[in-house]
Amino acid sequence: MKTYIKDLSTHKDSVVTLQGWVQNKRESKALIFIILRDGSGFCQCIADLAVLGDIKFAEASKLGQESSISITGKVVEDTRQIGGFEIHVQSIDIVQNCADYPIANKEHGIEFLMDQRHLWLRSKRQWAIMRVRNTVIFSIHKFFQKEGFVQMDAPIFTGNAAEGTTDLFETDFYGQPAYLSQSGQLYGEAMAMAMGKIYTFGPTFRSEKSKTRRHLSEFWMIEPEMAFHDIYDNMDCIEDFVRYVVKEVLENCKVELELLERDTTILEKTVEPFIRLTYDNAVAIIKGEQEVEGQTTIAVLEQDLADTKANIASLKADIAEREEKIAAGGMKKGQVNFNLNTIDKNKNQIKQLEEDERNIPQWLDSAKNFTYGEDFGGSDETVLTRMFDVPVMVYDWPHEVKAFYLKRNPENPRFARGVDMLAPEGYGEVVGGGERETNEQMLIEKINEHKLPMEVFEWYLDLRRFGSVPHAGFGLGLERLIAWICKLPHVRETIPFPRMYGRLNP
RNA sequence: GCCUCAUUAGCUCAGUUGGUUAGAGCGACGGACUGUUAAUCCGCAGGUCCCAGGUUCGAGUCCUGGAUGGGGCGCCA
């Protein structure tokens, strides 16, 4: 039976052997501090010259970052350490000593890190994110299984587009064109008529040339579909589902969230009811015509812009002050380095803030001039969710802007019964779904309206000919959910090897 | 497809109005020192200033075009 770092608390004061990699190392004449990582966690190991002897100690002191080793030593409680324990080393076996590991313990640029993705996955932040991803995936399955859903796999090769507008990746399927799946939903509907409640969990491909923090070319989507469910049942399901997953992460990923420095207040708020708004209502809020808790979006955004400007000014003042101090001289070298590093960090922050400074006025403009009847843009979602601290569900959309398969509101046919769930803190659309059209004639009209080839939808129309029932479902973007839960600046860090516009390797 | 910002040492960045031999920190390497938390201190090495044209007595700096990357819009989860 092997021992892992996560289980050290059960081995207090006994001697164990750990196998792993040198994450970092500090050395002196008689002591070496090795931060060992074994995939399950991180642990400081102290090697003493008096214990190891000259030869072994010299070997250990030469260990490069990410060298692979096996360490035997005593487990000692030490509250200063991450896991609360450290190892007093008795012996070290070197599996491989390596040198010149490319990723240093310092700030790197995103392009460099993405090129080193195969190695970057080993670093602490990425370790934490991948473990949150694992917990999210596992809890998604747990939720649907406990609710009686049947998991199904939709095909990845498809002969048609579910929604004509999106760009598809074309491949060659024995001489005829085929497209990589951009949604398993239509197949999910067929399966729901067989199983009652189903969910898909699979990869999705979209060749949108989008370079934003929310887009990947290959991402994972979860698509439940439920027979005898309407739009309101659907919203209940979305809410229960998202609440459950967030709760599971909060319970099982404490160490990871702490490592990511995630403020969990907003996540804990998901126990409260989510906000439900009709499209009309949401538009009024976006345009600043309707207040939320005494404030309009316009006022909030203008305040955000003012805050951003003030932040930039104070960071610049801080830099100037530090530069002045350094120039004045008399500072120790260590202090100078510290100040230089801080200046670098501030400059990076200023760059990000300056992008906000450029973007916020655009968003403000777009919100003020929002045309009723249009779909929300990314910035409109940001503006809307900025007003609330729980997820927002917007439903009953103008039918023209939504997919052909959505049901019309029988009381007001201008609206289609779609629903989008927008995550707080500016993360925007995480879920899109709705109640499906059950009337065959309405569907045929819509397919024609969208200029889609009727023949490939014949099988889909069969679902309306044989025992058609009200049904609803939604699609959840796994990476967007993880990005929000971890509060990451970009979805690219939520998937082991991201595929996006301009990025196919490694 | 459109808009915008950027590209200088292995990495993160300075480089003033165009002006002599392009700088710093981190990392690497050599040494000193220490229950250290990105330790600290001393020393040393390290450059096709993204590419191609142009303006100029003179270009890292200005202009034109291109490549690559960041961010935003459209589109979407």
Side-chain angles (χ1 to χ4, degrees):
Chain A
M1 196 64 181
K2 293 189 184 290
T3 308
Y4 291 96
I5 290 170
K6 71 177 168 60
D7 301 321
L8 282 183
S9 60
T10 62
H11 294 90
K12 194 182 163 188
D13 296 327
S14 56
V15 173
V16 299
T17 299
L18 295 173
Q19 296 170 299
W21 296 263
V22 177
Q23 196 261 330
N24 199 1
K25 189 192 70 180
R26 285 173 289 277
E27 56 184 297
S28 64
K29 205 171 216 170
L31 287 173
I32 307 170
F33 301 91
I34 295 170
I35 308 296
L36 188 77
R37 58 167 197 90
D38 72 348
S40 84
F42 298 81
C43 176
Q44 174 166 280
C45 305
I46 298 111
D48 192 329
L49 174 63
V51 176
L52 283 192
D54 288 340
I55 296 167
K56 283 286 180 188
F57 188 86
E59 274 178 24
S61 72
K62 290 253 162 13
L63 285 170
Q65 198 184 346
E66 286 303 315
S67 292
S68 40
I69 56 171
S70 174
I71 280 186
T72 301
K74 191 177 172 191
V75 181
V76 177
E77 192 162 14
D78 185 329
T79 49
R80 288 171 298 182
Q81 306 306 324
I82 303 172
F85 292 89
E86 60 179 22
I87 302 285
H88 289 190
V89 178
Q90 295 175 353
S91 67
I92 297 180
D93 288 314
I94 298 169
V95 181
Q96 189 206 29
N97 184 9
C98 63
D100 296 326
Y101 186 68
I103 303 176
N105 283 319
K106 60 165 293 193
E107 288 201 31
H108 290 286
I110 191 64
E111 191 187 359
F112 174 79
L113 289 171
M114 288 300 294
D115 285 342
Q116 309 292 333
R117 184 59 173 169
H118 52 295
L119 301 175
W120 189 25
L121 289 167
R122 303 182 185 193
S123 59
K124 273 185 185 167
R125 269 183 74 81
Q126 302 307 310
W127 174 85
I129 295 166
M130 288 304 130
R131 289 182 65 99
V132 170
R133 181 183 172 100
N134 177 64
T135 299
V136 168
I137 290 171
F138 188 50
S139 62
I140 286 169
H141 282 293
K142 277 204 307 201
F143 175 82
F144 287 119
Q145 292 295 329
K146 85 179 168 62
E147 297 291 324
F149 287 65
V150 173
Q151 197 271 340
M152 75 163 280
D153 299 309
I156 289 170
F157 284 120
T158 58
N160 62 283
E163 300 161 49
T165 53
T166 316
D167 295 43
L168 298 170
F169 286 106
E170 192 176 325
T171 64
D172 176 82
F173 190 80
Y174 305 113
Q176 71 174 54
Y179 306 94
L180 297 184
S181 170
Q182 54 146 2
S183 167
Q185 187 211 307
L186 303 188
Y187 301 98
E189 287 186 50
M191 193 71 160
M193 298 304 130
M195 299 294 166
K197 294 192 285 186
I198 64 93
Y199 68 105
T200 70
F201 197 134
T204 303
F205 307 89
R206 300 201 181 159
S207 75
E208 298 155 347
K209 287 179 180 169
S210 298
K211 290 178 72 162
T212 82
R213 59 184 74 199
R214 304 186 302 280
H215 285 85
L216 292 169
S217 304
E218 178 183 301
F219 63 97
W220 288 70
M221 190 153 69
I222 294 89
E223 294 179 286
E225 196 67 36
M226 301 160 281
F228 298 103
H229 278 58
D230 65 14
I231 178 89
Y232 301 103
D233 299 326
N234 200 26
M235 285 195 274
D236 291 343
C237 183
I238 293 170
E239 189 167 339
D240 291 344
F241 168 53
V242 171
R243 181 174 295 136
Y244 180 84
V245 172
V246 170
K247 191 193 83 180
E248 285 283 306
V249 172
L250 283 171
E251 281 172 10
N252 297 301
C253 297
K254 289 199 170 72
V255 173
E256 290 83 351
L257 292 172
E258 198 176 316
L259 228 159
L260 292 166
E261 295 178 315
R262 175 56 159 135
D263 176 1
T264 54
T265 323
I266 289 251
L267 298 178
E268 280 151 16
K269 278 253 182 189
T270 54
V271 295
E272 293 173 15
F274 293 7
I275 305 289
R276 298 184 187 196
L277 301 171
T278 61
Y279 172 85
D280 281 10
N281 207 335
V283 169
I285 294 173
I286 289 172
K287 288 176 75 83
E289 293 163 1
Q290 185 179 321
E291 292 186 347
V292 177
E293 287 172 15
Q295 280 202 298
T296 65
T297 47
I298 311 297
V300 168
L301 273 189
E302 275 167 356
Q303 188 57 49
D304 283 356
L305 183 59
D307 289 348
T308 305
K309 284 184 173 166
N311 264 332
I312 291 172
S314 82
L315 282 171
K316 281 187 175 166
D318 185 76
I319 288 174
E321 198 180 311
R322 287 175 197 279
E323 279 174 343
E324 214 171 289
K325 270 192 205 162
I326 292 170
M331 214 182 259
K332 276 189 186 168
K333 199 173 174 189
Q335 280 177 300
V336 174
N337 286 349
F338 174 79
N339 279 296
L340 284 172
N341 273 336
T342 310
I343 288 172
D344 266 10
K345 265 186 196 169
N346 286 349
K347 279 183 179 168
N348 276 329
Q349 266 194 46
I350 288 175
K351 268 188 194 169
Q352 301 216 340
L353 289 170
E354 279 175 344
E355 266 177 6
D356 289 345
E357 196 185 12
R358 281 193 293 270
N359 288 332
I360 292 174
Q362 289 178 27
W363 296 351
L364 193 58
D365 208 44
S366 155
K368 275 181 188 160
N369 299 317
F370 184 87
T371 310
Y372 178 89
E374 284 179 6
D375 205 348
F376 293 172
S379 66
D380 304 315
E381 292 172 356
T382 305
V383 169
L384 182 63
T385 56
R386 178 70 185 77
M387 309 302 288
F388 303 97
D389 52 11
V390 292
V392 178
M393 292 192 279
V394 181
Y395 65 101
D396 271 4
W397 294 75
H399 74 91
E400 298 90 349
V401 301
K402 286 290 175 184
F404 76 89
Y405 46 71
L406 285 173
K407 185 184 176 67
R408 297 290 186 88
N409 180 344
E411 277 136 43
N412 194 342
R414 283 199 298 128
F415 298 111
R417 310 229 83 170
V419 55
D420 284 355
M421 194 206 83
L422 313 175
E425 301 172 280
Y427 280 85
E429 188 173 354
V430 168
V431 169
E435 187 174 342
R436 317 306 183 190
E437 184 57 75
T438 48
N439 182 294
E440 187 187 346
Q441 278 315 308
M442 291 284 276
L443 263 182
I444 290 172
E445 264 174 45
K446 269 288 179 185
I447 290 169
N448 285 329
E449 211 174 277
H450 282 75
K451 297 196 172 70
L452 298 168
M454 190 63 68
E455 60 280 7
V456 298
F457 290 105
E458 274 303 316
W459 69 265
Y460 185 67
L461 293 170
D462 261 0
L463 304 177
R464 273 68 183 173
R465 293 169 185 144
F466 304 105
S468 183
V469 302
H471 62 291
F474 59 91
L476 172 124
L478 179 67
E479 286 75 16
R480 286 190 181 175
L481 178 64
I482 298 168
W484 169 55
I485 289 177
C486 296
K487 201 170 183 180
L488 302 178
H490 198 296
V491 289
R492 68 186 151 217
E493 285 181 58
T494 65
I495 188 165
F497 292 95
R499 295 290 177 257
M500 49 202 281
Y501 187 54
R503 170 66 60 179
L504 187 57
N505 289 303

